[in-house]
Amino acid sequence: MRFGVVRFPGSCDDIDALQAAARVGDAVELWHADRDLREADAVIIPGGFSYGDYLRAGAIARFAPVMEEVAEFAREGGLVLGICNGFQVLCEAHLLPGALLPNTSLRFVFRQVELEVVDSATPFTRACAPGERLSIPVKHTTGRFYSPEPVHVVLRYAPNQNPNGSQADIAGICNDAGNVFGLMPHPEHAVDALTGSIDGLKIFESIRAHVSDRVAV
Amino acid sequence: MRARVLIRPKQGILDPQGQAVERALPALGFDGISHVHVGRLVELDVDDPTQLPDICERLLSNPLIEDYEIVEEVPSHSAAEAS
Amino acid sequence: MRARVLIRPKQGILDPQGQAVERALPALGFDGISHVHVGRLVELDVDDPTQLPDICERLLSNPLIEDYEIVEEVPSHSAAEAS
Amino acid sequence: MSQTASPSNRHRQLGLTDHEYELIVDRLEREPGDVELAMLSLMWSEHCAYKHSRKLLRRLPTEGPHLLMGPGENAGAVDVGQGMAVAFKVESHNHPSAVEPFQGAATGVGGILRDVFAVGARPIAVLDSLRFGEPAESGRSRYLLEQAVAGIGHYGNSIGVPTVGGEIYFESSYEQNCLINAMCLGLAPVERLIRSAATGPGNVVMLLGALTGRDGIGGASVLASAELGEGDEAKRPSVQIGDPFTEKKVLECCLELLDRGLLAALQDLGAAGLTSSVSEMASKGGVGIDIDVSRVPLREPGMVPFEIMVSESQERMLCVVAPERVGAVIDVCQRWEVAATPIGAVTDEVRVRVLDAGVLVGDLPVHVLVDDCPLYDLEPIQPAVDLYPAPAAILTGTESPAESLLALLGSANLASRRPVFEQYDPVVQSRTARRPEQADAAVLMLADGVSIAVSIDGNGRRTACDPRRGAAEAVYECAANLACVGAEPLGLTNCLNFGNPEKPHVAWQLTEAVDGLAEACRALNIPVVSGNVSLYNEAPSGPIFPTPVVGIVGQLPDPGRAAGLAFRRDEDAIALVGAFEPSSAGSELAKLRGVSPRGPLPELDQAAAAAAHELLRSAVRDGRLTSAHDIAEGGIAVALAECAIAGGLGATVELPDGLEPFAEAPGRAFVVSGSRDAIERLVQTPVPVQVLGTVGGDGLQINGALSVSLGALLDAWSGGLT
Ligand SMILES: Nc1ncnc2c1ncn2[C@@H]1O[C@H](COP(=O)(O)OP(=O)(O)O)[C@@H](O)[C@H]1O
Ligand SMILES: [Mg+2]
């Protein structure tokens, strides 16, 4: 299968996402200015500071030409994963409900946190056991999830580990259709025991399993 | 025309920046201050002011979490600068 | 009294946010917009408005890089809310 | 500015002495014009000309087997194997940070990043070395700390370069002069390293990146070259704002330009802006450069030629391009949304000429700009009395050992740095095998079989006690940190933060410290590849502690074997490795007891220390040890407590007879843990190794006299810096 990883000006974890995805499949870069998903089976909007996070995190990136294609792809049921800044972009683009607000600490926070898998039946978490704990780092200034409406929660911060004041300890959500997933933690930074943890690989493996099932059908 | 857009956190949404200011004030010797909210100010020259509401809704603010207000229409930048 | 403070980058000081917004607008189909500056908006209830300049200089703004303006004095928070 | 100054004193206002001005007139055989004088005043400033330090710096060893590029380039570089080079440098941004700590620290990071990618290396790590006044006594110091840390995080995090290490100390001598030093490492294929020498008359000089505004005019260079007096508002430059987003684009763009072989030379714009970059590029290439300031894209209207030539606007680079490649350069820049403007040309006249829409407004021989500034000899005199007042006493000296240990762990200098490093992204770029608080040095993976380790160290108080030995200790401590993860030092960078060198006692501190650095580097066979000097860090109450900060980069084959500092296995044996004869001079305990910094520091047997490092390095590389930690601030008791806290495992130890638990001798010895067998093998070597005790239990017991629970250790340590 092929992952496409979007690269905006100011993306930082794009190479990391490409490398992580390449552990389970092919991975190609998708340039922000090109209306071309390069036949990707799943799209990753990576972390970083697209457009410097100026104005509001994700606010400017959502208007990049490639995002029109991503929206179309999502409407057709394609898998879209937004990590950190990618999550912010997907919320701003209304591909996911809710919004991300500044951490209650008002500080950037890097921390290895424990996550609880709330829904292990999504295309992004099917390699996880229900209730499984994943050790994955967060690093952001704007990660406090907020939504006035109920949302489909996929991952939560384990008790007492909420790093940002997120509503109901929400760490990751998906859309109603289940094909667009956003999370603040960085699974691409948890794919190698040497750098801390391999729990993030499960997200990439889930996507691969889902895509190959679909192809098989 | 020079326009000024005020963007503030929607009521009911936690505003830690406002809280931080409120907490810091007594230590500096300022009392009697409350209900502090911190938002954004955007100022711009715009040829066609009828575009402004659209610009505010699509880019400058996120309507889910922020309200905006176009408060003022002042002479354009260059004029303002000269004054 | 409810007061509103506008804080903006001093003239001549680099304003990367303003630049980023200005560059983004044409892509959204908005033309004819220039001199965009992004600053902060602080709104607060204050018992003694004569404190405001001091509060602005010592806490709300960074006088080295920002100018502030106390633009308006509106009825206090609760009253404003009710209206 | 020159409008307000009479012709006879305008050079003084710009920081030049009468003698220097006469020299300029003599060399030019005429009076310099306004633009020329502005340029010369910057090029002849301490910051650019190193006029009080250059002669001393010649004493540092700069040759080594792995050296690729030494001092003189934007960053030095070493060969790490497999065709890869690591470029690195540390730089200060002390004075701008004292004015505006968030932006000062942020632009400090931005500046050192540019120095690294200017040599063609992709920045892969940042470290920071910070000094402030006492946080308990000074609200301003707490503010500076908070803002500087936020600024460093802002720039590094946003640009996608991990901040993997650093150090912070608080001493009242830094109250008026905080130190903000940032180090950056970059990675490049050896053949992509590029120098800044302009070449090829007829080639085009292009400016890349941000618009030019009135940032820092009359600023950093002048500012950094004189004491910042009280109420010296007029001298304060307009503050530079860091824009990491623009720098990220410029960085990617420059690396792509180099990969495509489109550039003949590359140079960052830092202090003194275009003036310095153009002069340096011309000087190194033995060529001349013509610049037409009317072609420089401006952010503000009405800028005059001298302003454009000295503006310190951030996020700009200068490159030299063959005429036929200009189009290709512009194409690459457009893709990255980076402005690229031809502003001049290389000439064969060895002059820097400044034109304004074709009209000549300045014309200076390159050697006058770069080489003719007089270099001063220092006049060192060892002070007869203590230079620094005694610190406030927090302990009386009557406390129990347990109380002293908890006080040390909870002191601002020793407490956990977590509240700081949690504001930095240490993992972006997916190389970080050891992050802060996991091991004594950060470990970064470069490729299969090649990893590097890096640490940054310096101890101003100890250097104040004995500048020569204190500076040497910084080198040993830094190298010891590398040894703990099994790394072999390849190269060293340094930042010399001192007071006013025109004062004899500061001159003495500086001279002694440079000699100490040089001796240690020679003894350990580590070349100095780059560095920076920050002088005039002085307040009315006196100079800062002399603060040489040392960063070392080393190489290790297997990051999986890099030892952490944490005790991890019950029943492991604990040993002291290395000759260790510490004393209380300059120690943290002495400080808490209100003793002023005073020597002599304990003997530094360089051969013995080097042997201990070597033994530890090989044991770690063999994977024989469970943990390794050097003994530094707070002595062996604090080192043991840190290992216990990190692992959540206690220990019971007996110290050798007469060894004071809190006495210090950094850089010479280690506490390690491992199987009985592994420790037994260490004991068999010629290096002194003493078995101290055993890992286990839920507290730290030393000599049966000191017993503290893990919980109490952790509480004290994690609450000391919030
Ligand atoms: N203490 C030092 N040790 C070794 N090299 C130094 C030292 N201080 C400065 N240098 C070298 O002198 C040159 C000029 O330094 P600097 O002005 O900081 O460079 P830049 O303008 O590129 O930032 C650099 O090559 C730097 O590495
Ligand atoms: Mg440089």
Side-chain angles (χ1 to χ4, degrees):
Chain A
M1 75 155 291
R2 174 181 277 194
F3 289 88
V5 178
V6 173
R7 187 169 199 189
F8 296 112
S11 291
C12 296
D13 303 274
D14 47 342
I15 308 295
D16 309 75
L18 279 165
Q19 288 171 353
R23 288 173 184 259
V24 306
D26 285 347
V28 296
E29 177 187 298
L30 308 177
W31 187 246
H32 65 98
D34 296 341
R35 288 186 171 78
D36 181 1
L37 298 189
R38 302 181 64 186
E39 300 182 350
D41 301 298
V43 171
I44 299 176
I45 320 281
F49 290 74
S50 59
Y51 299 91
D53 263 6
Y54 295 142
L55 194 64
R56 264 189 334 279
I60 298 178
R62 76 130 152 156
F63 294 106
V66 73
M67 285 305 294
E68 286 173 31
E69 297 304 309
V70 172
E72 181 60 28
F73 180 71
R75 266 195 295 281
E76 288 166 1
L79 294 190
V80 179
L81 164 65
I83 302 169
C84 193
N85 190 235
F87 186 11
Q88 295 159 345
V89 172
L90 293 176
C91 288
E92 284 281 342
H94 309 304
L95 292 172
L96 285 173
L100 292 144
L101 293 160
N103 300 345
T104 42
S105 68
L106 297 174
R107 284 179 170 180
F108 181 94
V109 59
F110 167 83
R111 199 174 289 163
Q112 192 81 25
V113 293
E114 297 272 312
L115 305 173
E116 263 173 28
V117 179
V118 177
D119 184 350
S120 59
T122 77
F124 304 93
T125 48
R126 53 188 275 179
C128 307
E132 183 174 347
R133 290 255 182 135
L134 306 176
S135 168
I136 296 182
V138 292
K139 49 188 188 92
H140 58 250
T141 313
T142 310
R144 175 166 49 110
F145 183 75
Y146 164 81
S147 170
E149 309 294 334
V151 293
H152 185 155
V153 179
V154 179
L155 298 171
R156 258 189 235 290
Y157 301 110
N160 302 316
Q161 301 220 20
N162 185 337
N164 51 35
S166 218
Q167 169 181 319
D169 294 335
I170 289 171
I173 62 162
C174 66
N175 61 349
D176 287 339
N179 66 312
V180 179
F181 173 47
L183 77 171
M184 286 314 295
H186 285 262
E188 81 282 20
H189 288 295
V191 297
D192 181 351
L194 271 176
T195 58
S197 153
I198 55 166
D199 293 354
L201 263 185
K202 296 213 163 120
I203 306 290
F204 297 93
E205 280 162 356
S206 297
I207 295 172
R208 182 188 52 191
H210 182 85
V211 169
S212 45
D213 279 4
R214 228 177 25 183
V215 172
V217 166
Chain B
M1 196 198 71
R2 186 124 187 105
R4 177 177 289 172
V5 179
L6 306 183
I7 298 152
R8 56 175 70 87
K10 253 199 197 334
Q11 242 214 291
I13 295 193
L14 179 70
D15 172 17
Q17 268 187 289
Q19 289 182 342
V21 171
E22 213 162 312
R23 268 197 308 267
L25 284 164
L28 297 179
F30 301 112
D31 290 314
I33 290 139
S34 60
H35 296 100
V36 184
H37 286 292
V38 178
R40 252 193 325 275
L41 163 71
V42 182
E43 296 179 310
L44 63 176
D45 281 356
V46 53
D47 288 349
D48 173 6
T50 63
Q51 294 185 324
L52 276 173
D54 218 25
I55 295 178
C56 288
E57 261 153 63
R58 292 186 55 206
L59 181 68
L60 300 185
S61 78
N62 178 344
L64 187 69
I65 49 175
E66 294 165 332
D67 291 325
Y68 70 89
E69 185 183 344
I70 302 168
V71 269
E72 227 179 305
E73 304 180 355
V74 293
S76 90
H77 184 71
S78 34
E81 218 108 288
S83 73
Chain C
M1 195 198 70
R2 187 126 187 104
R4 179 177 287 171
V5 179
L6 306 184
I7 299 152
R8 54 175 72 86
K10 258 198 200 323
Q11 232 210 298
I13 293 262
L14 177 68
D15 174 15
Q17 298 214 67
Q19 288 186 352
V21 172
E22 194 161 328
R23 271 196 224 116
L25 284 164
L28 307 192
F30 300 113
D31 290 317
I33 290 146
S34 61
H35 297 100
V36 182
H37 286 293
V38 178
R40 268 170 303 129
L41 162 72
V42 182
E43 296 178 312
L44 67 176
D45 282 355
V46 54
D47 288 350
D48 173 7
T50 62
Q51 294 186 324
L52 276 173
D54 222 25
I55 294 179
C56 288
E57 259 152 65
R58 294 185 51 202
L59 184 68
L60 301 184
S61 78
N62 180 344
L64 283 172
I65 54 179
E66 293 169 330
D67 287 328
Y68 69 90
E69 183 184 345
I70 303 168
V71 269
E72 227 177 305
E73 305 182 356
V74 293
S76 88
H77 182 70
S78 34
E81 220 109 285
S83 72
Chain D
M1 90 196 139
S2 48
Q3 293 95 314
T4 57
S6 76
S8 60
N9 75 8
R10 55 180 191 156
H11 65 269
R12 282 185 222 150
Q13 298 205 340
L14 290 169
L16 293 172
T17 65
D18 292 349
H19 167 70
E20 286 166 349
Y21 186 72
E22 280 159 26
L23 212 63
I24 286 171
V25 174
D26 181 63
R27 295 292 144 87
L28 295 181
E29 297 176 357
R30 62 180 168 86
E31 302 265 339
D34 278 359
V35 174
E36 293 169 338
L37 187 61
M39 293 168 67
L40 284 163
S41 72
L42 292 179
M43 291 307 292
W44 285 34
S45 71
E46 187 65 45
H47 194 83
C48 291
Y50 287 81
K51 47 193 174 186
H52 286 94
S53 62
R54 186 168 291 183
K55 288 187 169 183
L56 269 184
L57 293 179
R58 292 181 187 141
R59 301 183 186 179
L60 297 172
T62 56
E63 296 293 327
H66 305 279
L67 188 87
L68 292 170
M69 227 153 68
E73 290 297 332
N74 287 303
V78 293
D79 191 334
V80 293
Q82 295 192 18
M84 288 180 295
V86 169
F88 58 102
K89 184 173 184 233
V90 60
E91 197 161 73
S92 69
H93 226 215
N94 304 337
H95 299 272
S97 301
V99 176
E100 210 310 291
F102 181 96
Q103 295 298 341
T107 52
V109 172
I112 192 65
L113 289 165
R114 282 195 298 285
D115 268 327
V116 165
F117 70 80
V119 301
R122 170 178 290 279
I124 59 168
V126 167
L127 295 91
D128 60 336
S129 173
L130 313 177
R131 302 290 184 280
F132 304 98
E134 292 289 350
E137 292 163 15
S138 156
R140 174 156 174 81
S141 288
R142 292 194 298 274
Y143 168 78
L144 290 172
L145 167 70
E146 181 188 309
Q147 293 292 308
V149 167
I152 290 165
H154 167 64
Y155 213 103
N157 298 339
S158 306
I159 201 169
V161 178
T163 301
V164 300
E167 50 154 20
I168 308 180
Y169 292 102
F170 303 92
E171 304 286 351
S172 49
S173 83
Y174 303 114
E175 176 68 31
Q176 305 286 324
N177 290 277
C178 62
L179 303 184
I180 308 291
N181 291 183
M183 173 176 175
C184 177
L185 284 69
L187 178 65
V190 170
E191 69 278 3
R192 194 173 73 195
L193 285 181
I194 183 170
R195 294 177 188 262
S196 56
T199 51
N203 280 347
V204 179
V205 175
M206 294 180 78
L207 182 61
L208 311 183
L211 300 175
T212 297
R214 289 193 177 88
D215 306 282
I217 288 181
S221 327
V222 173
L223 205 57
S225 305
E227 287 173 40
L228 191 59
E230 268 187 64
D232 230 346
E233 293 301 328
K235 265 196 190 160
R236 295 190 194 277
S238 74
V239 172
Q240 306 153 19
I241 305 290
D243 180 3
F245 173 53
T246 294
E247 181 134 312
K248 169 77 171 159
K249 294 188 292 185
V250 173
L251 150 68
E252 298 295 345
C253 179
C254 286
L255 293 180
E256 182 171 340
L257 290 169
L258 290 172
D259 278 337
R260 291 175 185 249
L262 294 173
L263 306 183
L266 182 63
Q267 165 72 34
D268 63 291
L269 278 82
L274 271 175
T275 295
S276 159
S277 303
V278 166
S279 308
E280 294 288 341
M281 290 182 96
S283 166
K284 286 179 186 148
V287 294
I289 291 181
D290 285 359
I291 294 292
D292 193 325
V293 293
S294 70
R295 298 168 76 179
V296 173
L298 301 179
R299 197 175 75 230
E300 293 174 68
M303 287 179 69
V304 297
F306 98 81
E307 291 179 310
I308 298 170
M309 285 308 292
V310 307
S311 158
E312 296 187 347
S313 290
Q314 304 286 300
E315 289 95 23
R316 299 180 301 162
M317 301 290 286
L318 202 62
C319 60
V320 174
V321 182
E324 66 275 14
R325 295 192 173 138
V326 169
V329 167
I330 289 175
D331 286 346
V332 170
C333 291
Q334 266 170 359
R335 182 174 137 86
W336 289 105
E337 301 173 8
V338 167
T341 318
I343 61 166
V346 178
T347 69
D348 51 16
E349 299 214 28
V350 203
R351 311 179 72 79
V352 171
R353 283 192 305 211
V354 181
L355 304 130
D356 185 10
V359 179
L360 193 67
V361 295
D363 181 358
L364 294 167
V366 169
H367 69 88
V368 176
L369 282 159
V370 178
D371 305 317
D372 287 355
C373 175
L375 300 183
Y376 297 111
D377 287 309
L378 299 182
E379 287 160 19
I381 299 179
Q382 176 165 6
V385 294
D386 286 347
L387 285 180
Y388 303 95
I394 288 159
L395 300 180
T396 59
T398 57
E399 292 78 7
S400 71
E403 285 166 339
S404 298
L405 176 60
L406 291 173
L408 281 165
L409 288 173
S411 69
N413 280 350
L414 272 66
S416 170
R417 268 54 189 140
R418 182 168 294 267
V420 169
F421 70 72
E422 274 199 343
Q423 297 182 58
Y424 302 148
D425 176 354
V427 299
V428 65
Q429 297 192 25
S430 300
R431 302 181 183 284
T432 314
R434 294 291 180 272
R435 29 174 116 142
E437 272 180 11
Q438 289 182 339
D440 283 0
V443 175
L444 301 165
M445 304 183 290
L446 304 186
D448 270 349
V450 188
S451 293
I452 54 169
V454 57
S455 173
I456 188 165
D457 294 276
N459 187 318
R461 180 157 21 82
R462 296 186 73 82
T463 311
C465 292
D466 177 344
R468 181 182 292 246
R469 198 163 284 165
E473 279 183 350
V475 177
Y476 278 88
E477 183 176 346
C478 197
N481 285 330
L482 262 59
C484 287
V485 296
E488 159 119 56
L490 301 177
L492 178 148
T493 185
N494 70 100
C495 190
L496 303 172
N497 303 276
F498 285 76
N500 179 352
E502 296 162 54
K503 298 190 176 165
H505 50 261
V506 173
W508 175 78
Q509 291 175 329
L510 185 56
T511 310
E512 288 286 300
V514 168
D515 283 339
L517 280 182
E519 282 166 17
C521 289
R522 286 211 171 80
L524 289 170
N525 199 18
I526 312 174
V528 175
V529 309
S530 60
N532 184 245
V533 179
S534 171
L535 302 175
Y536 300 97
N537 295 286
E538 183 131 4
S541 56
I544 58 164
F545 283 167
T547 311
V549 168
V550 164
I552 303 183
V553 172
Q555 183 270 336
L556 63 156
D558 182 355
R561 289 186 170 180
L565 62 90
F567 290 149
R568 280 189 302 150
R569 204 165 52 195
D570 258 326
E571 303 294 315
D572 265 356
I574 301 170
L576 165 64
V577 175
F580 190 52
E581 283 167 27
S583 81
S584 69
S587 69
E588 292 294 329
L589 186 66
K591 174 188 169 180
L592 294 188
R593 288 178 175 171
V595 180
S596 39
R598 195 178 301 145
L601 298 178
E603 205 59 45
L604 174 49
D605 179 337
Q606 309 218 21
H613 291 194
E614 178 52 44
L615 173 63
L616 202 77
R617 180 160 51 241
S618 67
V620 170
R621 286 187 173 197
D622 291 348
R624 280 187 269 140
L625 300 178
T626 312
S627 74
H629 187 30
D630 73 312
I631 305 171
E633 290 84 3
I636 193 165
V638 165
L640 288 162
E642 287 166 344
C643 300
I645 293 169
L649 273 179
T652 303
V653 299
E654 283 293 321
L655 299 187
D657 273 352
L659 179 54
E660 289 290 330
F662 307 111
E664 297 181 14
R668 300 148 172 100
F670 305 84
V671 282
V672 303
S673 70
S675 66
R676 305 261 143 206
D677 231 32
I679 299 300
E680 197 43 45
R681 282 178 61 190
L682 293 181
V683 174
Q684 311 291 318
T685 64
V687 172
V689 174
Q690 282 161 291
V691 179
L692 300 178
T694 312
V695 173
D698 52 10
L700 178 63
Q701 338 270 336
I702 299 179
N703 291 354
L706 180 163
S707 172
V708 186
S709 74
L710 277 178
L713 294 176
L714 181 64
D715 281 351
W717 182 70
S718 40
L721 189 72
T722 43

